[in-house]
Short mmCIF file of all heavy atoms in Angstrom, two decimals:
data_model
loop_
_atom_site.label_atom_id
_atom_site.label_comp_id
_atom_site.label_asym_id
_atom_site.label_seq_id
_atom_site.Cartn_x
_atom_site.Cartn_y
_atom_site.Cartn_z
N SER A 434 24.44 -203.13 22.21
CA SER A 434 24.11 -203.04 20.79
C SER A 434 22.76 -203.65 20.49
O SER A 434 22.41 -204.71 21.01
CB SER A 434 25.17 -203.77 19.96
OG SER A 434 26.42 -203.18 20.17
N ALA A 435 22.02 -202.99 19.62
CA ALA A 435 20.68 -203.44 19.25
C ALA A 435 20.70 -204.81 18.59
O ALA A 435 19.74 -205.57 18.71
CB ALA A 435 20.02 -202.43 18.32
N GLY A 436 21.78 -205.18 17.92
CA GLY A 436 21.84 -206.46 17.22
C GLY A 436 22.08 -207.66 18.13
O GLY A 436 21.97 -208.80 17.69
N MET A 437 22.41 -207.41 19.38
CA MET A 437 22.69 -208.50 20.31
C MET A 437 21.40 -209.12 20.83
O MET A 437 20.41 -208.41 21.02
CB MET A 437 23.51 -207.98 21.51
CG MET A 437 24.88 -207.44 21.16
SD MET A 437 25.65 -206.50 22.51
CE MET A 437 25.74 -207.70 23.81
N PRO A 438 21.40 -210.43 21.12
CA PRO A 438 20.22 -211.04 21.75
C PRO A 438 19.99 -210.40 23.13
O PRO A 438 20.94 -209.97 23.80
CB PRO A 438 20.60 -212.51 21.90
CG PRO A 438 21.74 -212.74 20.96
CD PRO A 438 22.44 -211.41 20.82
N LEU A 439 18.74 -210.34 23.55
CA LEU A 439 18.39 -209.72 24.83
C LEU A 439 19.19 -210.33 25.98
O LEU A 439 19.72 -209.60 26.83
CB LEU A 439 16.88 -209.85 25.11
CG LEU A 439 16.41 -209.28 26.45
CD1 LEU A 439 16.70 -207.79 26.56
CD2 LEU A 439 14.93 -209.56 26.65
N ALA A 440 19.31 -211.65 26.02
CA ALA A 440 20.04 -212.30 27.12
C ALA A 440 21.49 -211.82 27.17
O ALA A 440 22.03 -211.57 28.26
CB ALA A 440 19.97 -213.82 26.97
N THR A 441 22.11 -211.67 26.03
CA THR A 441 23.50 -211.19 25.97
C THR A 441 23.59 -209.76 26.46
O THR A 441 24.53 -209.39 27.19
CB THR A 441 24.04 -211.29 24.52
OG1 THR A 441 23.86 -212.63 24.06
CG2 THR A 441 25.50 -210.91 24.44
N ARG A 442 22.62 -208.94 26.10
CA ARG A 442 22.59 -207.55 26.55
C ARG A 442 22.45 -207.49 28.07
O ARG A 442 23.10 -206.67 28.73
CB ARG A 442 21.46 -206.79 25.87
CG ARG A 442 21.66 -206.66 24.37
CD ARG A 442 20.45 -206.11 23.68
NE ARG A 442 20.59 -204.66 23.56
CZ ARG A 442 19.72 -203.90 22.92
NH1 ARG A 442 18.64 -204.43 22.36
NH2 ARG A 442 19.90 -202.61 22.84
N LEU A 443 21.61 -208.34 28.63
CA LEU A 443 21.39 -208.36 30.08
C LEU A 443 22.66 -208.78 30.82
O LEU A 443 22.99 -208.22 31.86
CB LEU A 443 20.22 -209.27 30.44
CG LEU A 443 18.86 -208.83 29.89
CD1 LEU A 443 17.79 -209.89 30.20
CD2 LEU A 443 18.45 -207.47 30.42
N VAL A 444 23.38 -209.75 30.27
CA VAL A 444 24.65 -210.18 30.88
C VAL A 444 25.64 -209.02 30.86
O VAL A 444 26.35 -208.77 31.84
CB VAL A 444 25.22 -211.42 30.16
CG1 VAL A 444 26.66 -211.70 30.58
CG2 VAL A 444 24.34 -212.64 30.43
N GLN A 445 25.68 -208.28 29.76
CA GLN A 445 26.60 -207.14 29.66
C GLN A 445 26.23 -206.06 30.69
O GLN A 445 27.11 -205.49 31.33
CB GLN A 445 26.59 -206.55 28.26
CG GLN A 445 27.58 -205.40 28.12
CD GLN A 445 27.62 -204.81 26.73
OE1 GLN A 445 27.27 -205.47 25.76
NE2 GLN A 445 28.05 -203.57 26.64
N ILE A 446 24.94 -205.79 30.83
CA ILE A 446 24.50 -204.79 31.82
C ILE A 446 24.94 -205.22 33.21
O ILE A 446 25.50 -204.42 33.97
CB ILE A 446 22.97 -204.59 31.74
CG1 ILE A 446 22.60 -203.87 30.43
CG2 ILE A 446 22.46 -203.81 32.95
CD1 ILE A 446 21.12 -203.88 30.11
N ALA A 447 24.73 -206.48 33.55
CA ALA A 447 25.11 -206.98 34.88
C ALA A 447 26.62 -206.87 35.09
O ALA A 447 27.08 -206.42 36.14
CB ALA A 447 24.64 -208.42 35.06
N SER A 448 27.38 -207.25 34.09
CA SER A 448 28.83 -207.22 34.19
C SER A 448 29.35 -205.79 34.35
O SER A 448 30.19 -205.51 35.22
CB SER A 448 29.43 -207.87 32.94
OG SER A 448 30.83 -207.77 32.96
N ASP A 449 28.84 -204.88 33.53
CA ASP A 449 29.28 -203.48 33.61
C ASP A 449 28.85 -202.84 34.94
O ASP A 449 29.61 -202.07 35.53
CB ASP A 449 28.73 -202.68 32.43
CG ASP A 449 29.38 -203.05 31.10
OD1 ASP A 449 30.31 -203.89 31.10
OD2 ASP A 449 28.95 -202.52 30.07
N LEU A 450 27.66 -203.17 35.40
CA LEU A 450 27.19 -202.64 36.68
C LEU A 450 28.04 -203.17 37.82
O LEU A 450 28.41 -202.42 38.74
CB LEU A 450 25.71 -202.98 36.90
CG LEU A 450 25.09 -202.48 38.19
CD1 LEU A 450 25.22 -200.97 38.33
CD2 LEU A 450 23.63 -202.89 38.26
N GLU A 451 28.39 -204.43 37.75
CA GLU A 451 29.28 -205.03 38.77
C GLU A 451 30.61 -204.28 38.82
O GLU A 451 31.13 -203.99 39.89
CB GLU A 451 29.49 -206.51 38.44
CG GLU A 451 30.22 -207.26 39.51
CD GLU A 451 29.33 -208.25 40.23
OE1 GLU A 451 28.20 -208.51 39.81
OE2 GLU A 451 29.80 -208.74 41.27
N GLN A 452 31.16 -203.95 37.65
CA GLN A 452 32.41 -203.19 37.59
C GLN A 452 32.25 -201.82 38.26
O GLN A 452 33.13 -201.37 39.00
CB GLN A 452 32.87 -203.00 36.15
CG GLN A 452 33.54 -204.20 35.56
CD GLN A 452 34.06 -203.89 34.16
OE1 GLN A 452 33.38 -203.27 33.35
NE2 GLN A 452 35.29 -204.32 33.88
N LEU A 453 31.12 -201.14 37.97
CA LEU A 453 30.87 -199.84 38.60
C LEU A 453 30.80 -199.96 40.11
O LEU A 453 31.35 -199.13 40.84
CB LEU A 453 29.55 -199.25 38.08
CG LEU A 453 29.55 -198.63 36.70
CD1 LEU A 453 28.13 -198.28 36.27
CD2 LEU A 453 30.44 -197.39 36.67
N ILE A 454 30.11 -200.98 40.58
CA ILE A 454 29.96 -201.19 42.03
C ILE A 454 31.34 -201.41 42.67
O ILE A 454 31.65 -200.81 43.70
CB ILE A 454 29.00 -202.36 42.31
CG1 ILE A 454 27.57 -201.95 41.97
CG2 ILE A 454 29.13 -202.84 43.75
CD1 ILE A 454 26.56 -203.09 41.95
N HIS A 455 32.15 -202.23 42.05
CA HIS A 455 33.48 -202.50 42.62
C HIS A 455 34.39 -201.27 42.55
O HIS A 455 35.16 -201.01 43.47
CB HIS A 455 34.12 -203.70 41.94
CG HIS A 455 33.47 -204.99 42.30
ND1 HIS A 455 33.52 -205.54 43.56
CD2 HIS A 455 32.70 -205.82 41.55
CE1 HIS A 455 32.83 -206.67 43.59
NE2 HIS A 455 32.30 -206.86 42.39
N GLN A 456 34.26 -200.49 41.50
CA GLN A 456 35.11 -199.31 41.35
C GLN A 456 34.71 -198.18 42.31
O GLN A 456 35.57 -197.54 42.90
CB GLN A 456 35.04 -198.79 39.91
CG GLN A 456 35.92 -197.58 39.67
CD GLN A 456 35.89 -197.12 38.22
OE1 GLN A 456 35.29 -197.75 37.35
NE2 GLN A 456 36.54 -196.00 37.95
N PHE A 457 33.40 -197.94 42.47
CA PHE A 457 32.96 -196.77 43.23
C PHE A 457 32.41 -197.08 44.61
O PHE A 457 32.16 -196.15 45.39
CB PHE A 457 31.94 -195.98 42.41
CG PHE A 457 32.55 -195.35 41.18
CD1 PHE A 457 32.36 -195.92 39.93
CD2 PHE A 457 33.35 -194.23 41.29
CE1 PHE A 457 32.93 -195.37 38.79
CE2 PHE A 457 33.94 -193.66 40.16
CZ PHE A 457 33.73 -194.23 38.91
N GLN A 458 32.18 -198.35 44.93
CA GLN A 458 31.75 -198.77 46.27
C GLN A 458 30.58 -197.95 46.83
O GLN A 458 30.68 -197.33 47.90
CB GLN A 458 32.94 -198.68 47.25
CG GLN A 458 34.13 -199.54 46.88
CD GLN A 458 33.84 -201.03 47.04
OE1 GLN A 458 33.39 -201.46 48.07
NE2 GLN A 458 34.06 -201.78 45.98
N PRO A 459 29.44 -197.93 46.13
CA PRO A 459 28.30 -197.15 46.65
C PRO A 459 27.74 -197.77 47.93
O PRO A 459 27.79 -198.99 48.12
CB PRO A 459 27.28 -197.23 45.51
CG PRO A 459 27.61 -198.51 44.80
CD PRO A 459 29.10 -198.65 44.90
N ASP A 460 27.23 -196.91 48.80
CA ASP A 460 26.57 -197.37 50.03
C ASP A 460 25.15 -197.81 49.73
O ASP A 460 24.63 -198.73 50.38
CB ASP A 460 26.54 -196.25 51.08
CG ASP A 460 27.94 -195.81 51.45
OD1 ASP A 460 28.72 -196.66 51.90
OD2 ASP A 460 28.25 -194.61 51.28
N GLU A 461 24.51 -197.12 48.78
CA GLU A 461 23.13 -197.41 48.42
C GLU A 461 22.94 -197.16 46.93
O GLU A 461 23.69 -196.39 46.33
CB GLU A 461 22.16 -196.54 49.24
CG GLU A 461 22.26 -196.83 50.73
CD GLU A 461 21.39 -195.95 51.60
OE1 GLU A 461 20.88 -194.91 51.14
OE2 GLU A 461 21.22 -196.31 52.78
N ILE A 462 21.92 -197.83 46.38
CA ILE A 462 21.60 -197.66 44.97
C ILE A 462 20.16 -197.17 44.86
O ILE A 462 19.27 -197.69 45.54
CB ILE A 462 21.79 -198.98 44.20
CG1 ILE A 462 23.27 -199.37 44.19
CG2 ILE A 462 21.24 -198.87 42.77
CD1 ILE A 462 23.57 -200.70 43.52
N ALA A 463 19.95 -196.17 44.03
CA ALA A 463 18.61 -195.64 43.77
C ALA A 463 18.27 -195.91 42.31
O ALA A 463 19.07 -195.61 41.42
CB ALA A 463 18.56 -194.14 44.06
N VAL A 464 17.11 -196.52 42.08
CA VAL A 464 16.70 -196.92 40.74
C VAL A 464 15.33 -196.32 40.44
O VAL A 464 14.45 -196.33 41.31
CB VAL A 464 16.63 -198.46 40.61
CG1 VAL A 464 16.22 -198.88 39.22
CG2 VAL A 464 17.94 -199.10 41.00
N GLU A 465 15.17 -195.84 39.22
CA GLU A 465 13.85 -195.34 38.83
C GLU A 465 12.91 -196.51 38.60
O GLU A 465 13.28 -197.51 37.99
CB GLU A 465 13.94 -194.50 37.56
CG GLU A 465 12.63 -193.80 37.24
CD GLU A 465 12.77 -192.80 36.12
OE1 GLU A 465 13.08 -193.23 34.99
OE2 GLU A 465 12.58 -191.61 36.38
N GLU A 466 11.69 -196.38 39.13
CA GLU A 466 10.68 -197.40 38.91
C GLU A 466 10.26 -197.37 37.45
O GLU A 466 10.35 -196.35 36.78
CB GLU A 466 9.46 -197.16 39.81
CG GLU A 466 9.72 -197.55 41.24
CD GLU A 466 8.47 -197.50 42.09
OE1 GLU A 466 7.37 -197.18 41.58
OE2 GLU A 466 8.59 -197.77 43.29
N LEU A 467 9.80 -198.50 36.99
CA LEU A 467 9.40 -198.63 35.60
C LEU A 467 8.13 -197.85 35.32
O LEU A 467 7.17 -197.91 36.08
CB LEU A 467 9.18 -200.11 35.27
CG LEU A 467 9.02 -200.48 33.82
CD1 LEU A 467 10.20 -200.00 33.00
CD2 LEU A 467 8.88 -201.98 33.68
N PHE A 468 8.17 -197.11 34.24
CA PHE A 468 7.01 -196.34 33.80
C PHE A 468 6.65 -196.81 32.41
O PHE A 468 7.43 -196.64 31.47
CB PHE A 468 7.34 -194.84 33.80
CG PHE A 468 6.23 -193.99 33.24
CD1 PHE A 468 5.10 -193.73 33.98
CD2 PHE A 468 6.32 -193.46 31.96
CE1 PHE A 468 4.08 -192.95 33.48
CE2 PHE A 468 5.31 -192.68 31.44
CZ PHE A 468 4.18 -192.42 32.21
N PHE A 469 5.51 -197.46 32.28
CA PHE A 469 5.07 -197.94 30.97
C PHE A 469 4.40 -196.80 30.23
O PHE A 469 3.43 -196.23 30.69
CB PHE A 469 4.07 -199.09 31.11
CG PHE A 469 4.71 -200.41 31.34
CD1 PHE A 469 4.84 -200.92 32.61
CD2 PHE A 469 5.20 -201.14 30.27
CE1 PHE A 469 5.44 -202.14 32.82
CE2 PHE A 469 5.80 -202.37 30.47
CZ PHE A 469 5.91 -202.88 31.75
N SER A 470 4.94 -196.49 29.07
CA SER A 470 4.27 -195.50 28.22
C SER A 470 3.46 -196.28 27.19
O SER A 470 2.83 -197.26 27.52
CB SER A 470 5.30 -194.57 27.58
OG SER A 470 6.25 -195.32 26.85
N LYS A 471 3.51 -195.88 25.96
CA LYS A 471 2.68 -196.51 24.94
C LYS A 471 3.26 -197.81 24.41
O LYS A 471 2.53 -198.66 23.94
CB LYS A 471 2.43 -195.53 23.79
CG LYS A 471 1.63 -194.34 24.24
CD LYS A 471 1.44 -193.32 23.15
CE LYS A 471 0.60 -192.19 23.73
NZ LYS A 471 0.76 -190.96 23.05
N ASN A 472 4.57 -197.98 24.44
CA ASN A 472 5.19 -199.15 23.84
C ASN A 472 5.45 -200.22 24.91
O ASN A 472 6.47 -200.20 25.58
CB ASN A 472 6.49 -198.77 23.14
CG ASN A 472 7.05 -199.90 22.32
OD1 ASN A 472 6.69 -201.06 22.49
ND2 ASN A 472 7.96 -199.57 21.42
N ILE A 473 4.55 -201.16 25.05
CA ILE A 473 4.66 -202.20 26.07
C ILE A 473 5.83 -203.13 25.80
O ILE A 473 6.46 -203.64 26.72
CB ILE A 473 3.35 -202.98 26.25
CG1 ILE A 473 3.39 -203.85 27.50
CG2 ILE A 473 3.04 -203.83 25.07
CD1 ILE A 473 2.32 -203.57 28.46
N THR A 474 6.17 -203.36 24.52
CA THR A 474 7.28 -204.24 24.18
C THR A 474 8.59 -203.68 24.72
O THR A 474 9.39 -204.42 25.32
CB THR A 474 7.38 -204.42 22.65
OG1 THR A 474 6.11 -204.88 22.18
CG2 THR A 474 8.46 -205.41 22.27
N THR A 475 8.82 -202.40 24.55
CA THR A 475 10.01 -201.75 25.10
C THR A 475 9.98 -201.83 26.63
O THR A 475 11.00 -202.10 27.27
CB THR A 475 10.09 -200.28 24.66
OG1 THR A 475 10.11 -200.25 23.24
CG2 THR A 475 11.31 -199.59 25.21
N GLY A 476 8.81 -201.62 27.21
CA GLY A 476 8.66 -201.68 28.66
C GLY A 476 9.03 -203.04 29.23
O GLY A 476 9.65 -203.14 30.29
N ILE A 477 8.70 -204.09 28.52
CA ILE A 477 9.03 -205.43 28.99
C ILE A 477 10.54 -205.65 28.97
O ILE A 477 11.12 -206.19 29.92
CB ILE A 477 8.28 -206.50 28.16
CG1 ILE A 477 6.78 -206.43 28.48
CG2 ILE A 477 8.82 -207.89 28.43
CD1 ILE A 477 5.90 -207.25 27.58
N ALA A 478 11.21 -205.21 27.92
CA ALA A 478 12.67 -205.34 27.84
C ALA A 478 13.33 -204.54 28.96
O ALA A 478 14.28 -205.02 29.60
CB ALA A 478 13.17 -204.88 26.47
#
């Protein structure tokens, strides 16, 4: 949720990702590299 503090959002992302990892047991993870467009503030988050 947009109203949550960034730190709380990051904890939720980690927790939900951990659940996905335990449920689906991936061998490898592929992540898109960060691409900064015009909004640097969004890019930092």
Side-chain angles (χ1 to χ4, degrees):
S434 300
M437 297 167 60
L439 178 61
T441 306
R442 294 171 94 176
L443 296 175
V444 168
Q445 182 179 337
I446 290 168
S448 176
D449 290 356
L450 180 56
E451 188 110 11
Q452 281 184 316
L453 283 172
I454 288 169
H455 289 293
Q456 181 178 355
F457 293 102
Q458 300 290 308
D460 299 302
E461 297 177 345
I462 294 177
V464 181
E465 188 171 64
E466 285 188 1
L467 191 55
F468 175 76
F469 278 97
S470 57
K471 295 177 179 157
N472 189 343
I473 192 123
T474 305
T475 302
I477 291 170

